[in-house]
Amino acid sequence: MLFVIILTLFISVFFIPIIQSSNYSNTNYNEIISVNPNGFVWPIPGYTTISSPFGKRNSPTAGASSFHYGCDIPAPQGTALIAISDGTITFCNFLGAGGYTITLSFSNFKVTYCHVDPNFIVSVGDTIKQGQIIGYVGPKNVYGVPGNNYKDSNGNPTNGATTGPHLHLGFRIDNKYVNPLNYF
C-alpha cells in the first residue's frame, strides 16, 4: 500500500506536467492546468469546443471577416481566461471587430484574447505568469464605446463583431497570423 502511494506521488510529480495556479488579481482560481508539449496551457479551461476555426469562413455577422484570423471558443460570459504563457500585457482596449481585447506578448508571439469583459483586471505593462487569470469572457452587448460600429440584429451595440459570448484567440508570430490550434 505504501509503495502504491509513493509510486503515485512520484509519477504525478515527475511525469505529469502541471502548474498549480494561485490567487491572481484578487480572484480565487485554484484549478490544475496541464501544460502541452509546446509549453502552453489552454486559455479557457473546461471549454474546448471550437465554433469557428482559423481560415476561410462565411462571415457570421456584418463587419466580420471572411477569413478568420483566430479560433472562437464559446463560453458563458464571466468565464475566466488564463495566460497561455509567461509574458507582458501589451494591449488592453477596444479594438474594432475584436471588441474589448487583451494582448499577451512573449518572445516573438502576440496572443490576442478578443471579446473580453471591458472591466480589465490587467494593464499594459503588467508581467504575467502562465496560468494567471488575465480577464473574463465578455458580454455580447457593450454600450458607450466611441466609434463602435458593430450592432446585433436589434440594433444594440456589440463587443466587436460577435453573435454571443466567446473567446476569439488569435496568434501572431513575428506579426504574422497563424492558426492557434497548431500550438495546442
Side-chain angles (χ1 to χ4, degrees), residues 23-45:
N23 297 335
Y24 292 105
S25 305
N26 297 322
T27 303
N28 188 9
Y29 190 71
N30 291 318
E31 184 170 338
I32 295 178
I33 302 162
S34 295
V35 178
N36 76 11
N38 290 315
F40 299 129
V41 297
W42 188 247
I44 188 165

Side-chain angles (χ1 to χ4, degrees), residues 36-136:
N36 76 11
N38 290 315
F40 299 129
V41 297
W42 188 247
I44 188 165
Y47 296 89
T48 56
T49 299
I50 305 298
S51 61
S52 183
F54 184 88
K56 283 189 78 150
R57 68 175 180 174
N58 292 325
S59 299
T61 184
S65 172
S66 61
F67 191 91
H68 196 219
Y69 291 95
C71 63
D72 290 347
I73 308 163
Q77 178 180 336
T79 302
L81 304 171
I82 63 169
I84 67 161
S85 179
D86 292 352
T88 303
I89 300 299
T90 55
F91 185 85
C92 273
N93 212 330
F94 193 85
L95 187 64
Y100 283 101
T101 300
I102 298 169
T103 301
L104 175 67
S105 299
F106 52 93
S107 184
N108 58 339
F109 282 80
K110 288 185 179 179
V111 178
T112 53
Y113 295 72
C114 299
H115 311 297
V116 303
D117 190 295
N119 299 306
F120 295 117
I121 61 171
V122 294
S123 300
V124 171
D126 286 354
T127 300
I128 302 300
K129 291 292 184 192
Q130 185 177 53
Q132 179 177 340
I133 294 176
I134 61 171
Y136 299 93

Side-chain angles (χ1 to χ4, degrees), residues 21 53 78 130 138 141:
S21 65
Q130 185 177 53
N141 299 105

